[in-house]
Amino acid sequence: MKLSVNSFLFRVLDLLRGNFSIQQSVTFGLQLIAWKKMSQSANDQSIVGFLASLPDDLVHLSFDDFRYRYDQLSQNLLTQITNMQLDPTEVDYEQLFETMASSFKGEGFFYSTSLIRLIQQLLSMETDSEELYAPFVCDPGLLHALATNYSVLAESSFSTRFIGLYKIIFDLDFELKNSDPLQAPGYLDAQGLSLRKFVNTVSIPPFGYRLHKPVDSDIFMRFDEDTLKSRHFEPRVISHIAAQTKEKAIVGFPESFANQQSLSKFRANYVANGWVSKVIRLPGNLLNNTALPCLLFVFDFANKSDEILMVDASEIYTKHKRNNILTQEEITAILALCEAPSEKHEFWCKASIDDLSANNYNLDPRRYVVSASECEYMAKFKDYEACRLGDLVEIIRPQQVNGQENEGETWSEVLCNDIPDFGYMDSVERTKHLTNKELDKAKRYKIFNKDILLSVRGTIGKVAIVSEAEDKQWYPSQSLVILRPNQQRIVPEYLYLYMKSTLFNTVIDKRAIGSVIRNLSAREIDELQIPMMSLAAQQELKEQKFQEGEKLIKVIKEATAKLNSIADFF
């Protein structure tokens, strides 16, 4: 009985249990499938004959450890595997890709099938070219999908063994070079002196990759001086793609590329060149090996633009097991936003060069797209003048203060976890003993009554107003900033009430950067806009709302004390 590709692989994994790691077993299983596939049409079906028939580059690429693994197996296992029959035409591709992705966490970089479908359909919308360049690609699933409609020429130095195996197993019609596009590009002109130009390009390089060292020069003149010196991977990827693409390129990057401060000068160059046509923010947890959100950048090197279509599709998804997926209906909705946006601006907007410059060339669509709920909240403040937060408060961002074990003055360090949900700061748990320079630092960052604390690292947006610190020795941790209001201009309680609002939390959530540990910079805090009432109106609001809140807090504390006394009965 012949087994499907999936059944064959799972049968091999079952037989090899305890012999190899799961990664080694999956790799060996795919190698066995390729051997079975190729040996069906060969006279010599032995392992030796099979390896002898392969080109040297294919042996090096995909079968370098095959004979070693084969020789480690017992004769009984070898007999069972050799006798297994394969039907290479019967395969469940999605299940196979999921098996690969789950087995190679940390080693490969695999896209989800719904992301692949989105890229396929976006590509067909953006171009009618038949030839496609695919550098830095390390997922065979994407090449498999693209090869059905395009003549694909791929090159990569990332995990190409899997791509080579898939090419053999499924007779995929694409060209693959095991070359590093940055160091030694594989596709050159007929004379081998300059880079070959392609009409269109698709690429999703691995997230989080950094170059080991800067380089001094580039014989193909792709990189400017800043790009050569930088260890960031993404600027060189874009410069390389620009050098080998005539018209459009679809490139996927993590959100950090769109908003990281150290990359702003590169983003400014791409905007100035008019290369960026669209940016599509996709939901997080869409890729198989990382929960980081992916942003698709559509570059147009032939038709330069002075504005960018920003599409925020981060909330368009369906939850499936541990990951998010895109249904065909959701893919269609995203493509509709890219092609012919509706009059409603809830998921898209067009950002001008002035907009981008004012936001330090941040290319994250969430920075510019205003949702319906935000519009509703903003309407409440449309009649009020806005003022920059930095003009209303002193912003104090503390340094690290290191304590001693048993000697020195006792101070309390306020952590993000110390901020209660209701925001009234009156007690702190963590204490440190401070001497000399560390004590001097703590004194510089001493917290006073009416100070407002804002969490700006890790957890973003927790807010507290301090009410009982006058006789305390408190200082904030580095995850917090002190906002010390100028009470001649703003009532502290009014500012606190606004900072507890849904609108304020939405605004700072959009301005925070970082994929793993989020951070709100001092510049972003300084430039936050605060709707201003008159001092008399602020004071009246304080008396109405804040004092009411204080009464409720008092009730909560009394009830908590009673509950604790009941618990302490024994």
Side-chain angles (χ1 to χ4, degrees), residues 21 81 109 165 277 307 544 560:
S21 70
I81 290 173
F109 185 73
L165 288 170
S277 170
E307 62 180 12
Q544 289 178 354
T560 302

Coordinates of all heavy atoms in Angstrom, one line a residue, residues 21 81 109 165 277 307 544 560:
S21 N 16.7 13.8 17.3 CA 15.8 14.9 17.7 C 14.7 15.1 16.7 O 14.7 14.5 15.6 CB 16.6 16.2 17.9 OG 16.9 16.7 16.6
I81 N 11.8 1.0 6.7 CA 11.8 2.2 5.9 C 11.9 1.9 4.4 O 11.2 2.5 3.6 CB 12.9 3.2 6.4 CG1 12.5 3.7 7.8 CG2 13.1 4.3 5.4 CD1 13.6 4.5 8.4
F109 N 12.5 29.7 9.6 CA 11.6 30.9 9.6 C 10.4 30.6 8.7 O 10.6 30.7 7.5 CB 12.3 32.2 9.3 CG 11.5 33.4 9.5 CD1 11.2 33.9 10.8 CD2 11.0 34.1 8.4 CE1 10.4 35.0 11.0 CE2 10.2 35.2 8.6 CZ 9.9 35.7 9.9
L165 N 14.9 20.4 -0.7 CA 14.1 19.2 -0.6 C 12.7 19.3 -1.1 O 12.2 18.4 -1.8 CB 14.1 18.8 0.9 CG 15.4 18.3 1.5 CD1 15.2 18.2 3.0 CD2 15.8 16.9 0.9
S277 N 5.1 52.9 -1.5 CA 3.8 53.1 -2.0 C 2.7 52.8 -1.0 O 1.8 53.5 -0.8 CB 3.6 52.2 -3.3 OG 2.2 52.2 -3.7
E307 N 3.1 60.5 -1.2 CA 2.3 60.1 -0.1 C 2.2 58.5 0.0 O 2.4 57.8 -1.0 CB 0.9 60.7 -0.1 CG 0.1 60.2 -1.4 CD -1.3 60.9 -1.4 OE1 -1.6 61.8 -0.6 OE2 -2.1 60.4 -2.2
Q544 N -15.6 67.8 41.1 CA -16.8 66.9 40.8 C -16.3 65.4 40.8 O -17.0 64.5 41.4 CB -17.4 67.3 39.5 CG -18.2 68.6 39.5 CD -18.7 68.9 38.2 OE1 -18.4 68.3 37.2 NE2 -19.5 70.0 38.1
T560 N -11.7 46.5 52.2 CA -10.5 45.6 52.2 C -10.0 45.3 53.5 O -9.6 44.1 53.9 CB -9.4 46.3 51.3 OG1 -9.9 46.5 50.0 CG2 -8.2 45.3 51.2

